Amino acid sequence: MELILGTTPANEIETEALAIICFSDEKPGPDLAGGLPLEIYDRGEFTGKAQETALVHRPFGMKAARLLLVGCGEKAKFTTDEMRKAGGVIVRTLKPKGIKDAAVRLDGGTQPDLMLSALVEGAILGDYEPDRHKTEKKNGDKVIEKLRFSVPEETSSLTDALRRGRVVGESQNYARTLVNEPGNLLTPSSLGAQARQMAAEFGLGCEVLDEARMRQLGFGTLLGVSQGSAEPPVMIVLKYVPAEPPASADHLALVGKGVTFDTGGISIKPSDGMEKMKYDMAGAAAVIGAMRAVAQLKPSIPVTALAPCVENMPGHKAQRPGDIVTSYQGKTVEVLNTDAEGRLILADALTYAARQGCTHLIDAATLTGAIAVALGHLYAGVFSNNELFREKLLAASRAAGERMWPFPMDEDYKEYLKSAFADLANIGGRWGGSITAAKFLEEFVEGKPWIHLDIAGTAWLDDGKPFLAKGPTGLPVRTMVELACRWQ
Ligand code: BES
Ligand code: ZN
Ligand code: ZN
């Protein structure tokens, strides 16, 4: 999809379809009212509520063949989040109709740069379909080839905003593509190969630690998980170093859980719905996707991504409930449930990140089913040992339009993880499962400021939306990129 910025006035744009943003409490202004029969409002056929659309053919006095009205709700409540959705709605409405060339009119308004970035992100995200493995694609060979944005004035900040939106949207879609790959096609090694290829394309450093290297380093909790699978584990390390020497010593680590398939291991999961456990590497995909954007947007802080990747299988060498493993950090762990494997692989990766010189750690993981019990599928859970860092992240998540909610991390919760035979157990009993999982991770961050994002409820969308296909969401790529880019 070619994205073009221009200043041609709405009435003059020659296109198959011109989309305009409409509100429920304000009819389109006089520049469009001439072409738009406002009866469509008066007769109640279009009210302007969020994500509602109407398509008007041959609008009077306009060069566009069609006018697409896109509802965005109340004007006072219109934010970049609503604009992002509008972008998705536009593409997902016009593409199935076989329209190849479309345009969107943007009036000045407040925050024109942020609005344009959000619109572009939304259009790119809305363009994605998880149909890579279908020989007959959802929309056949229909594609929107050209999407133009008509703005009052072409400025360099709008040009930057367009590029930024494109980079972020494409990187998020890249993460979604990885998440959607099934376990037979995406193994730890092939995910390593994908990351290596992406790093070469965008000029990032890349190292893929193999099993022998991880054994040498003593990644005991990670290797305990992978030993039940015929697929060897890897740990992907991607490095971005800013061209200018950074002003501070800060170094951000993005750590992502990469379980390419989670059967549960010997504590095997019920078969119903198990196919979804291909998305248990959504954290890894997100950090790799975020690095793809970081490489292009070039923030001033160094960023390293680490993705521990394993397959959790009940093979004949699988670890058993009751096994005791020794982490890279040195603490011993009694594995009471082999299905609580994410925290075991992240433990070694977090310690490794801290010892590699990263000063601030963020991990993203489809860690617990309990997070969806607490928050549904709307918010990701945020867990941290550092209030200031957590506030920074929450501000970035709000700006990026990815909903996240903080959880308590009182010391008392640590008691839930007591083991009779090792330093820690890998599960904490029935209650507060997302918090005890986070408390487990905290033991391995070596005191560094750290944030854990539990994305088990938000990395996968069970039902499609008018602006987004069902399947992988690509969360939290945007928040991670936003945080890196606004780092001072
Ligand atoms: N990958 C799962 C968590 C998960 C559940 C992700 C549902 C997405 C959807 C994780 O490895 C797991 O199995 N966690 C267990 C932990 C339990 C054994 C303490 C869980 O949530 O049941
Ligand atoms: Zn599991
Ligand atoms: Zn898992």
Side-chain angles (χ1 to χ4, degrees):
M1 189 160 53
E2 195 186 346
L3 304 171
I4 307 159
L5 203 58
T7 55
T8 313
N11 295 347
E12 301 291 322
I13 302 176
E14 285 181 44
T15 177
E16 292 175 63
L18 170 67
I20 57 169
I21 302 296
C22 298
F23 301 105
S24 54
D25 50 356
E26 187 187 281
K27 289 180 188 173
D31 60 327
L32 289 166
L36 175 67
L38 288 177
E39 291 152 52
I40 197 165
Y41 270 89
D42 300 338
R43 294 196 171 138
E45 285 173 37
F46 180 80
T47 63
K49 69 169 192 268
Q51 287 136 54
E52 187 187 16
T53 56
L55 193 61
V56 179
H57 283 246
R58 297 276 157 222
F60 181 75
M62 301 186 104
K63 292 195 175 153
R66 301 171 188 80
L67 195 58
L68 177 70
L69 281 66
V70 184
C72 287
E74 282 172 52
K75 189 164 186 184
K77 291 187 185 155
F78 185 60
T79 60
T80 48
D81 295 341
E82 213 46 63
M83 188 59 129
R84 191 175 294 105
K85 289 178 187 163
V89 167
I90 292 167
V91 168
R92 298 182 73 76
T93 306
L94 298 179
K95 187 161 68 165
K97 299 187 192 301
I99 286 165
K100 292 191 176 64
D101 175 294
V104 191
R105 183 193 78 135
L106 291 169
D107 56 11
T110 51
Q111 302 184 307
D113 304 352
L114 296 180
M115 283 292 182
L116 179 65
S117 292
L119 178 65
V120 169
E121 282 169 15
I124 292 173
L125 296 173
D127 201 26
Y128 171 86
E129 289 299 338
D131 60 3
R132 211 180 107 99
H133 297 292
K134 278 177 172 286
T135 49
E136 271 182 46
K137 306 297 177 202
K138 179 161 179 271
N139 290 304
D141 55 3
K142 292 169 187 159
V143 279
I144 296 191
E145 289 166 0
K146 225 184 245 184
L147 186 58
R148 283 181 279 173
F149 301 95
S150 157
V151 294
E153 195 190 349
E154 215 176 308
T155 62
S156 64
S157 65
L158 280 177
T159 311
D160 286 350
L162 178 90
R163 172 171 178 267
R164 195 187 138 78
R166 185 214 310 264
V167 166
V168 172
E170 287 175 353
S171 298
Q172 192 171 341
N173 280 353
Y174 170 75
R176 292 164 84 193
T177 307
L178 293 175
V179 174
N180 195 48
E181 285 300 281
N184 62 328
L185 301 180
L186 193 86
T187 61
S189 329
S190 71
L191 186 51
Q194 292 280 342
R196 209 188 274 286
Q197 197 185 340
M198 186 281 287
E201 188 180 342
F202 292 96
L204 293 166
C206 178
E207 198 187 351
V208 180
L209 310 188
D210 65 9
E211 186 172 356
R213 178 71 186 130
M214 290 193 277
R215 198 166 299 284
Q216 211 174 33
L217 286 165
F219 283 8
T221 49
L222 184 151
L223 293 168
V225 177
S226 67
Q227 75 191 33
S229 168
E231 293 293 339
V234 300
M235 177 133 97
I236 302 166
V237 183
L238 295 169
K239 281 207 166 89
Y240 161 76
V241 185
E244 299 274 312
S248 79
D250 293 351
H251 184 154
L252 188 61
L254 305 177
V255 183
K257 171 179 171 182
V259 178
T260 58
F261 196 82
D262 183 11
T263 64
I266 294 299
S267 314
I268 199 160
K269 288 182 180 294
S271 53
D272 214 25
M274 201 203 271
E275 71 283 353
K276 262 180 72 180
M277 281 301 117
K278 68 175 183 177
Y279 92 88
D280 212 18
M281 38 59 75
V287 304
I288 298 167
M291 289 305 278
R292 184 187 180 281
V294 161
Q296 297 171 81
L297 300 176
K298 304 193 188 308
S300 57
I301 182 179
V303 188
T304 300
L306 301 103
C309 300
V310 302
E311 188 184 48
N312 189 20
M313 295 288 267
H316 65 286
K317 289 190 181 159
Q319 69 180 345
R320 296 142 285 251
D323 279 7
I324 294 175
V325 286
T326 305
S327 63
Y328 174 51
Q329 200 263 358
K331 291 190 177 104
T332 58
V333 178
E334 186 184 11
V335 181
L336 292 178
N337 188 317
T338 65
D339 197 10
E341 83 297 340
R343 61 198 79 181
L344 295 171
I345 67 168
L346 286 169
D348 284 342
L350 285 165
T351 306
Y352 187 71
R355 293 190 183 169
Q356 287 289 300
C358 299
T359 59
H360 293 71
L361 317 180
I362 303 180
D363 76 73
T366 46
L367 207 61
T368 65
I371 200 68
V373 175
L375 295 174
H377 298 288
L378 300 182
Y379 279 78
V382 178
F383 305 82
S384 180
N385 60 357
N386 184 297
E387 209 174 312
L388 208 72
F389 189 25
R390 188 185 69 190
E391 289 313 310
K392 254 181 157 172
L393 176 109
L394 287 169
S397 91
R398 278 191 293 273
E402 292 179 324
R403 287 182 280 193
M404 298 187 180
W405 201 259
F407 276 71
M409 284 287 277
D410 302 59
E411 265 317 287
D412 317 39
Y413 285 113
K414 218 189 113 181
E415 287 176 22
Y416 292 27
L417 292 168
K418 275 199 175 134
S419 155
F421 310 110
D423 298 338
L424 284 167
N426 79 325
I427 55 169
R430 183 161 159 72
W431 308 109
S434 301
I435 301 173
T436 50
K439 288 307 279 184
F440 181 92
L441 297 180
E442 189 182 12
E443 291 297 302
F444 299 92
V445 303
E446 311 255 85
K448 299 273 192 283
W450 152 83
I451 293 162
H452 158 58
L453 303 174
D454 194 333
I455 56 168
T458 46
W460 190 270
L461 195 64
D462 277 323
D463 304 303
K465 303 268 187 218
F467 51 88
L468 205 68
K470 79 170 260 181
T473 60
L475 192 121
V477 166
R478 292 206 300 274
T479 300
M480 287 178 160
V481 175
E482 178 66 33
L483 186 73
C485 288
R486 58 167 60 191
W487 202 278
Q488 291 299 328

